[in-house]
Amino acid sequence: MVENFSEKADFIWEIADLLRGDYKQSEYQKVVLPLTVLRRLDCVTEPTKDEVLARAAELEDAGIENKAPMLKDASGEAVYNTSEYTFESLCSDPDDIAENLQYYINQYDEDTKEIFDKFDFDHQIQRLDDADLLYKVIRQFSEIPLHPDEVPNEEMGYIYEELIRKFNELSNETAGEHFTPREVIELMVNLIFDEDDEVLSEEGAVRTVYDPACGTGGMLSVAQDHVRELNEAANLHVFGQELNPESYAVCNSDMLIKGQNPDNIVYGNSFTDDGFDDRKFDYMLSNPPFGVSWKKVKDYIEREHEEQGYAGRFGAGTPRVSDGAFLFLQHMLSKMKDPDDGGSRVAIVFNGSPLFTGGPNSGESAIRRWIIEYDWLEAIVGLPENLFYNTGIHTYIWVLNNDKPEKRAGKIQLIDAREMYEEMDESLGEKRHKLSANHIDEITEIFGDLEANGRSKVFDKEEFGYRRIVIDRPLRMSFQATEERIEDLHDERAFTNRDKETQKAVKEALMALDPEIQWLNRDEFMDEVELAFNTHGVDVRNSVYNAIERALGEQNPDAEIVRDSNGDPEHDTDLRDRERVPLGEDPIEYFEREVRPHVENAWVNRENKYYDEKDDKLGKVGYEINFNKYFHQYEPPRSLEKINEDIEHTGEEIVELLKEVSK
């Protein structure tokens, strides 16, 4: 991990102090980020500027229109600039620096100019100039060397991310939407490449990697570095999409400098404007925002779900609208290669919610079921708390593969790395812990071994499934015709819908019943009601009789069971329970063994609506992964002797303190 980036980041951060008063703190990044990118590009293009200018003049004289390939060749880089300016020479003409800077940016290649369009930097140039700040800011930036020979790409990535973290702290935004700690990315990359290292070492190996929420490109960069370490000759093509224009611009500039195809980084919403709808990828990595609503794209996504089903991306279901994390995973899984073509491996960071949120009827459970029953989930790694910049919660890496090796077929591995961390000397936002290189190696080794130990558990995939059955108990009700309960009839629509004369007649008939009598049998009570109505000449519909039952009755465990016209017991809604039956067990056998001995007169509700829609068996199928359950270590309570000792010791300390006070 790069450790010496902070000095340069602090230097750039100090430049932001020049903006104080003319810019709100939340606006600093509109100036500092694009100028950091521009200074980086300036350092890259300056060494070959003379060659580029000479070649540009030759091509102009020759009347050649498509100059870009030859100018890139003259530059020796994927980026070039055909103006005579550099940051240094711009500062030699302070009076015209705004006009010259705009010209300088416009003389970059088309891909680079698009980057600055996303920054919307034209407006900032004029604003800085009007505030008499432009020269001062450019002069400061000209003093920091950012050429890749002096600031390698990995270190530059840290600088970008540290600046974004600081800006987001000022504006109370979510840093986690932009980037992931590098050591977490390194672990994710290790996990998805672990089983493919041999393949990636082959001569002429070509692979693709994709991040649908690529931020500033950190995951793509680390993936490139990893493959390069394995095989200098290997070719890893990176692809990404990013919604935030500034993060997109930073990522694209970084990829340009590295010689990647700028068309492989797409701006826009991955859900509604998929930049790679016809592509499949070998590897996919992502850290989608935690707990972010997808309400803005709800209509689009639900329409795709309903109209395209599994032919689209969201056939398995949609999660609750408050958290779109599972949508990103489904989007990625739709881009897996066919196993016959080598399949695809995926690593994604989630908070705890996707592990267990939602019962059998929920979109989340349906998505988990789809993933697990297709046997795509290889492992979940629980990470330490306070590892991310914007949240202190525990996070989890999901590793998926649609072409599992034989030893992993039908298995899911859980790795508990929640206590594997080092304390940081200085916190960065919420980040107070970090993974060391040794931690990363150890977790990767645990993953590769696929063995059960204190930190690793290996389960059959069915372990995480269950059937939810409905357990009912009989309804028992007693009845009394008290004045108060008779008045409760006015809360029943079936009664109040009758005319006033009928209402009066019903109440008079009921008041003729002895209010002191408590009927413990519904049929006997209703016989008395019907007799009273006949005596008083009252003729009403069945709905009124039902209203009388509700108003004059109450649940009473001492009453007799209420039965329907077939003599079967009616169920008590308030006593209804739901029981989870492990997948693979017969629900009725489970009930007879685990429930009936403890709950008198209970039965399993076998109505059609309680059967699973997919396999037509009793009990709705659900899936959840209760991570804590599998790694919980029981700690027995202290003995009474130990507790008494502690109480006596504490009492002695209090006595000694009181003696000191009374002196």
Side-chain angles (χ1 to χ4, degrees):
M1 181 187 293
V2 174
E3 299 289 356
N4 60 346
F5 70 93
S6 58
E7 184 178 340
K8 297 180 181 68
D10 289 343
F11 179 89
I12 296 171
W13 180 251
E14 288 174 4
I15 298 175
D17 285 340
L18 295 172
L19 307 177
R20 194 181 303 276
D22 294 283
Y23 277 77
K24 297 176 182 177
Q25 287 185 332
S26 60
E27 297 178 313
Y28 288 177
Q29 65 181 20
K30 295 180 179 180
V31 173
V32 175
L33 272 182
L35 283 178
T36 302
V37 171
L38 189 59
R39 176 56 178 158
R40 174 82 161 172
L41 295 170
D42 180 61
C43 292
V44 168
T45 57
E46 184 178 5
T48 57
K49 183 168 284 288
D50 291 342
E51 290 87 341
V52 170
L53 291 176
R55 180 65 62 85
E58 292 172 5
L59 297 173
E60 186 68 28
D61 291 342
I64 295 175
E65 292 185 6
N66 185 17
K67 305 179 181 67
M70 286 163 279
L71 291 176
K72 287 182 180 179
D73 184 60
S75 171
E77 304 285 351
V79 58
Y80 63 85
N81 186 286
T82 57
S83 83
E84 67 275 22
Y85 293 112
T86 64
F87 264 48
E88 187 66 34
S89 62
L90 283 168
C91 293
S92 64
D93 185 7
D95 293 337
D96 296 320
I97 193 168
E99 182 180 345
N100 294 340
L101 178 60
Q102 188 64 72
Y103 173 75
Y104 169 67
I105 293 173
N106 288 337
Q107 295 309 114
Y108 271 99
D109 56 277
E110 292 300 318
D111 292 325
T112 303
K113 283 192 286 186
E114 185 201 353
I115 291 171
F116 285 90
D117 288 342
K118 290 296 183 293
F119 277 129
D120 191 23
F121 195 56
D122 291 355
H123 172 66
Q124 302 307 325
I125 292 175
Q126 188 59 52
R127 186 175 173 185
L128 288 166
D129 194 44
D130 291 343
D132 198 24
L133 290 172
L134 185 59
Y135 170 79
K136 297 175 184 176
V137 172
I138 297 297
R139 167 53 67 191
Q140 287 281 83
F141 268 103
S142 71
E143 294 176 5
I144 183 170
L146 293 179
H147 190 280
D149 289 346
E150 297 193 51
V151 184
N153 289 323
E154 184 182 8
E155 184 178 350
M156 196 69 219
Y158 275 100
I159 291 171
Y160 286 139
E161 293 170 359
E162 175 65 2
L163 291 173
I164 290 173
R165 184 190 68 78
K166 288 187 173 184
F167 290 134
N168 289 336
E169 278 189 351
L170 291 178
S171 57
N172 293 318
E173 291 185 8
T174 305
E177 293 184 11
H178 296 279
F179 59 89
T180 311
R182 286 296 170 108
E183 76 269 25
V184 175
I185 302 175
E186 289 171 13
L187 174 58
M188 295 172 70
V189 168
N190 277 14
L191 295 174
I192 64 167
F193 286 149
D194 178 70
E195 294 168 0
D196 290 353
D197 280 356
E198 187 175 332
V199 175
L200 290 167
S201 301
E202 294 176 356
E203 185 176 350
V206 178
R207 292 292 185 273
T208 56
V209 62
Y210 168 66
D211 182 351
C214 63
T216 57
M219 290 199 176
L220 301 176
S221 296
V222 174
Q224 277 185 295
D225 294 341
H226 182 91
V227 172
R228 195 175 293 116
E229 287 175 6
L230 290 172
N231 181 1
E232 280 285 348
N235 198 344
L236 183 69
H237 297 287
V238 301
F239 298 80
Q241 187 157 350
E242 175 56 33
L243 180 60
N244 180 286
E246 291 165 345
S247 297
Y248 161 80
V250 170
C251 179
N252 214 355
S253 67
D254 192 39
M255 294 303 160
L256 269 175
I257 291 169
K258 293 176 180 176
Q260 288 283 342
N261 183 350
D263 292 339
N264 290 356
I265 307 299
V266 175
Y267 174 71
N269 189 306
S270 295
F271 298 148
T272 59
D273 189 19
D274 184 3
F276 306 99
D277 59 351
D278 59 345
R279 291 294 304 257
K280 306 290 183 182
F281 302 98
D282 297 296
Y283 308 104
M284 286 171 268
L285 297 154
S286 193
N287 173 24
F290 302 154
V292 174
S293 169
W294 50 280
K295 186 176 182 179
K296 290 181 180 179
V297 295
K298 183 173 183 286
D299 291 344
Y300 185 97
I301 287 172
E302 289 189 343
R303 183 165 60 250
E304 179 175 329
H305 167 68
E306 292 166 4
E307 294 179 359
Q308 298 185 37
Y310 287 97
R313 295 169 293 175
F314 311 113
T318 57
R320 61 200 61 200
V321 78
S322 59
D323 188 353
F326 256 148
L327 296 177
F328 279 96
L329 180 54
Q330 290 176 276
H331 173 79
M332 295 164 77
L333 295 177
S334 75
K335 299 185 180 300
M336 293 191 298
K337 288 186 171 181
D338 190 279
D340 291 339
D341 297 325
S344 299
R345 293 176 58 75
V346 176
I348 188 168
V349 181
F350 284 148
N351 61 15
S353 179
L355 291 170
F356 52 78
T357 297
N361 294 319
S362 70
E364 290 89 350
S365 181
I367 295 166
R368 287 190 292 268
R369 179 179 186 177
W370 173 61
I371 291 168
I372 292 173
E373 290 188 350
Y374 270 89
D375 199 19
W376 291 337
L377 183 59
E378 282 195 333
I380 296 176
V381 181
L383 298 176
E385 62 185 1
N386 296 114
L387 198 61
F388 283 73
Y389 301 96
N390 66 310
T391 179
I393 63 175
H394 286 292
T395 50
Y396 301 83
I397 298 173
W398 291 41
V399 184
L400 302 99
N401 183 359
N402 69 336
D403 188 25
K404 283 186 177 183
E406 185 176 350
K407 69 176 184 178
R408 288 190 178 273
K411 304 292 184 182
I412 295 174
Q413 183 181 18
L414 303 184
I415 300 174
D416 185 8
R418 291 175 294 179
E419 299 301 321
M420 298 175 69
Y421 61 84
E422 289 181 356
E423 294 281 353
M424 295 178 62
D425 295 333
E426 184 178 346
S427 298
L428 296 174
E430 293 286 338
K431 183 173 175 60
R432 296 194 288 276
H433 299 155
K434 66 179 180 180
L435 298 174
S436 68
N438 289 337
H439 290 138
I440 294 171
D441 290 343
E442 184 179 350
I443 295 167
T444 305
E445 185 177 350
I446 291 171
F447 172 79
D449 289 344
L450 190 64
E451 294 178 356
N453 55 47
R455 295 194 183 279
S456 170
K457 308 288 185 184
V458 181
F459 301 95
D460 292 333
K461 61 186 177 67
E462 291 79 13
E463 167 72 22
F464 304 102
Y466 62 88
R467 290 187 184 276
R468 190 175 70 183
I469 59 175
V470 174
I471 308 296
D472 278 326
R473 284 187 274 175
L475 177 65
R476 297 174 184 270
M477 294 188 71
S478 62
F479 303 86
Q480 271 187 286
T482 64
E483 183 177 351
E484 181 181 359
R485 292 189 185 185
I486 293 171
E487 288 300 318
D488 286 344
L489 278 171
H490 290 284
D491 295 329
E492 298 286 341
R493 180 169 296 181
F495 175 76
T496 57
N497 282 345
R498 308 280 76 77
D499 58 71
K500 296 294 184 182
E501 186 175 337
T502 301
Q503 291 181 34
K504 181 180 178 182
V506 167
K507 290 171 66 176
E508 287 178 350
L510 293 173
M511 287 179 182
L513 299 175
D514 188 343
E516 299 298 323
I517 295 178
Q518 183 183 56
W519 283 269
L520 299 179
N521 181 293
R522 183 183 66 174
D523 291 341
E524 291 178 3
F525 170 70
M526 295 311 296
D527 286 343
E528 291 293 330
V529 170
E530 189 170 2
L531 179 60
F533 281 2
N534 290 337
T535 302
H536 289 75
V538 176
D539 183 17
V540 292
R541 300 177 180 178
N542 286 337
S543 60
V544 176
Y545 282 97
N546 293 335
I548 292 169
E549 284 185 29
R550 291 191 293 268
L552 276 65
E554 66 176 1
Q555 288 155 294
N556 185 339
D558 296 324
E560 296 180 23
I561 294 173
V562 176
R563 299 182 181 276
D564 62 21
S565 57
N566 294 321
D568 297 323
E570 295 186 13
H571 71 269
D572 188 332
T573 305
D574 291 343
L575 296 179
R576 171 168 284 175
D577 285 322
R578 287 168 174 81
E579 191 78 17
R580 291 186 176 191
V581 180
L583 211 57
E585 281 206 44
D586 181 88
I588 301 302
E589 291 179 3
Y590 177 92
F591 168 78
E592 294 291 342
R593 183 182 73 248
E594 302 292 340
V595 180
R596 186 184 288 280
H598 311 290
V599 185
E600 186 181 4
N601 295 320
W603 71 90
V604 177
N605 192 315
R606 302 196 195 194
E607 292 181 45
N608 288 337
K609 62 182 178 180
Y610 298 125
Y611 279 72
D612 188 73
E613 294 177 359
K614 279 194 170 184
D615 63 18
D616 295 324
K617 294 180 180 179
L618 179 62
K620 297 276 189 179
V621 172
Y623 279 83
E624 74 169 25
I625 303 167
N626 188 337
F627 203 88
N628 290 332
K629 166 186 171 183
Y630 299 106
F631 291 98
H632 174 72
Q633 293 185 349
Y634 173 72
E635 294 184 6
R638 293 182 302 160
S639 66
L640 290 175
E641 291 79 5
K642 179 61 178 172
I643 294 172
N644 286 332
E645 286 178 13
D646 289 346
I647 292 173
E648 289 176 7
H649 178 68
T650 303
E652 291 170 359
E653 288 183 339
I654 292 172
V655 170
E656 291 300 320
L657 288 172
L658 290 173
K659 288 180 180 178
E660 290 293 326
V661 172
S662 62
K663 284 182 179 179

